mmCIF file of all heavy atoms in Angstrom:
data_model
loop_
_atom_site.group_PDB
_atom_site.id
_atom_site.type_symbol
_atom_site.label_atom_id
_atom_site.label_comp_id
_atom_site.label_asym_id
_atom_site.label_seq_id
_atom_site.Cartn_x
_atom_site.Cartn_y
_atom_site.Cartn_z
ATOM 1 N N ALA A 4 168.766 107.143 100.282
ATOM 2 C CA ALA A 4 168.163 107.177 98.903
ATOM 3 C C ALA A 4 166.698 107.472 98.915
ATOM 4 O O ALA A 4 166.145 107.813 98.026
ATOM 5 C CB ALA A 4 168.276 105.694 98.384
ATOM 6 N N LEU A 5 166.131 107.436 100.174
ATOM 7 C CA LEU A 5 164.695 107.684 100.309
ATOM 8 C C LEU A 5 164.444 109.107 100.720
ATOM 9 O O LEU A 5 163.260 109.436 100.902
ATOM 10 C CB LEU A 5 164.042 106.708 101.324
ATOM 11 C CG LEU A 5 164.259 105.097 100.945
ATOM 12 C CD1 LEU A 5 163.676 104.314 102.120
ATOM 13 C CD2 LEU A 5 163.603 104.877 99.640
ATOM 14 N N LEU A 6 165.496 109.915 100.860
ATOM 15 C CA LEU A 6 165.382 111.231 101.323
ATOM 16 C C LEU A 6 165.491 112.185 100.228
ATOM 17 O O LEU A 6 166.215 112.041 99.276
ATOM 18 C CB LEU A 6 166.396 111.606 102.382
ATOM 19 C CG LEU A 6 166.345 110.624 103.688
ATOM 20 C CD1 LEU A 6 167.499 111.139 104.551
ATOM 21 C CD2 LEU A 6 165.038 110.935 104.433
ATOM 22 N N SER A 7 164.696 113.411 100.342
ATOM 23 C CA SER A 7 164.942 114.460 99.361
ATOM 24 C C SER A 7 166.252 115.188 99.726
ATOM 25 O O SER A 7 166.700 115.040 100.752
ATOM 26 C CB SER A 7 163.678 115.350 99.447
ATOM 27 O OG SER A 7 163.729 116.183 100.598
ATOM 28 N N PRO A 8 166.649 115.993 98.652
ATOM 29 C CA PRO A 8 167.859 116.851 98.921
ATOM 30 C C PRO A 8 167.708 117.770 100.223
ATOM 31 O O PRO A 8 168.620 117.809 100.974
ATOM 32 C CB PRO A 8 167.934 117.628 97.685
ATOM 33 C CG PRO A 8 167.411 116.712 96.633
ATOM 34 C CD PRO A 8 166.259 116.112 97.257
ATOM 35 N N ASP A 9 166.555 118.261 100.396
ATOM 36 C CA ASP A 9 166.252 119.082 101.588
ATOM 37 C C ASP A 9 166.356 118.228 102.841
ATOM 38 O O ASP A 9 166.860 118.645 103.920
ATOM 39 C CB ASP A 9 164.802 119.717 101.499
ATOM 40 C CG ASP A 9 164.788 120.830 100.495
ATOM 41 O OD1 ASP A 9 165.826 121.422 100.124
ATOM 42 O OD2 ASP A 9 163.682 121.204 100.112
ATOM 43 N N ASP A 10 165.859 117.156 102.847
ATOM 44 C CA ASP A 10 165.862 116.213 103.981
ATOM 45 C C ASP A 10 167.380 115.799 104.334
ATOM 46 O O ASP A 10 167.705 115.686 105.406
ATOM 47 C CB ASP A 10 165.136 114.821 103.751
ATOM 48 C CG ASP A 10 163.592 115.236 103.765
ATOM 49 O OD1 ASP A 10 163.075 116.187 104.386
ATOM 50 O OD2 ASP A 10 162.800 114.346 103.309
ATOM 51 N N VAL A 11 168.154 115.571 103.158
ATOM 52 C CA VAL A 11 169.635 115.138 103.437
ATOM 53 C C VAL A 11 170.311 116.427 104.020
ATOM 54 O O VAL A 11 171.062 116.222 104.948
ATOM 55 C CB VAL A 11 170.261 114.831 102.220
ATOM 56 C CG1 VAL A 11 171.753 114.659 102.259
ATOM 57 C CG2 VAL A 11 169.570 113.527 101.508
ATOM 58 N N GLY A 12 170.053 117.574 103.590
ATOM 59 C CA GLY A 12 170.675 118.718 104.139
ATOM 60 C C GLY A 12 170.258 118.975 105.627
ATOM 61 O O GLY A 12 171.078 119.213 106.472
ATOM 62 N N GLN A 13 168.990 118.681 105.998
ATOM 63 C CA GLN A 13 168.573 118.859 107.365
ATOM 64 C C GLN A 13 169.306 117.730 108.319
ATOM 65 O O GLN A 13 169.671 117.929 109.355
ATOM 66 C CB GLN A 13 167.032 118.629 107.507
ATOM 67 C CG GLN A 13 166.298 119.816 107.093
ATOM 68 C CD GLN A 13 166.341 120.986 108.064
ATOM 69 O OE1 GLN A 13 166.732 120.788 109.218
ATOM 70 N NE2 GLN A 13 166.040 122.265 107.664
ATOM 71 N N ALA A 14 169.382 116.548 107.722
ATOM 72 C CA ALA A 14 169.991 115.466 108.533
ATOM 73 C C ALA A 14 171.508 115.843 108.674
ATOM 74 O O ALA A 14 172.056 115.564 109.893
ATOM 75 C CB ALA A 14 169.842 114.153 107.731
ATOM 76 N N LEU A 15 172.061 116.269 107.609
ATOM 77 C CA LEU A 15 173.560 116.646 107.805
ATOM 78 C C LEU A 15 173.709 117.822 108.818
ATOM 79 O O LEU A 15 174.646 117.702 109.688
ATOM 80 C CB LEU A 15 174.171 117.094 106.443
ATOM 81 C CG LEU A 15 175.555 117.447 106.352
ATOM 82 C CD1 LEU A 15 176.439 116.254 106.961
ATOM 83 C CD2 LEU A 15 175.944 117.838 104.997
ATOM 84 N N ALA A 16 172.887 118.794 108.760
ATOM 85 C CA ALA A 16 172.942 119.859 109.711
ATOM 86 C C ALA A 16 172.728 119.350 111.159
ATOM 87 O O ALA A 16 173.341 119.868 112.166
ATOM 88 C CB ALA A 16 171.886 120.931 109.413
ATOM 89 N N GLY A 17 171.816 118.400 111.364
ATOM 90 C CA GLY A 17 171.625 117.872 112.615
ATOM 91 C C GLY A 17 172.752 117.173 113.137
ATOM 92 O O GLY A 17 173.087 117.278 114.328
ATOM 93 N N ARG A 18 173.486 116.417 112.297
ATOM 94 C CA ARG A 18 174.628 115.666 112.694
ATOM 95 C C ARG A 18 175.797 116.587 113.080
ATOM 96 O O ARG A 18 176.551 116.426 113.978
ATOM 97 C CB ARG A 18 175.055 114.676 111.669
ATOM 98 C CG ARG A 18 174.026 113.505 111.477
ATOM 99 C CD ARG A 18 174.461 112.572 110.375
ATOM 100 N NE ARG A 18 175.532 111.885 110.836
ATOM 101 C CZ ARG A 18 176.217 110.977 110.074
ATOM 102 N NH1 ARG A 18 175.849 110.692 108.910
ATOM 103 N NH2 ARG A 18 177.388 110.435 110.518
#
Side-chain angles (χ1 to χ4, degrees):
L5 302 177
L6 299 175
S7 72
D9 290 338
D10 291 337
V11 173
Q13 284 287 344
L15 181 58
R18 292 180 67 183

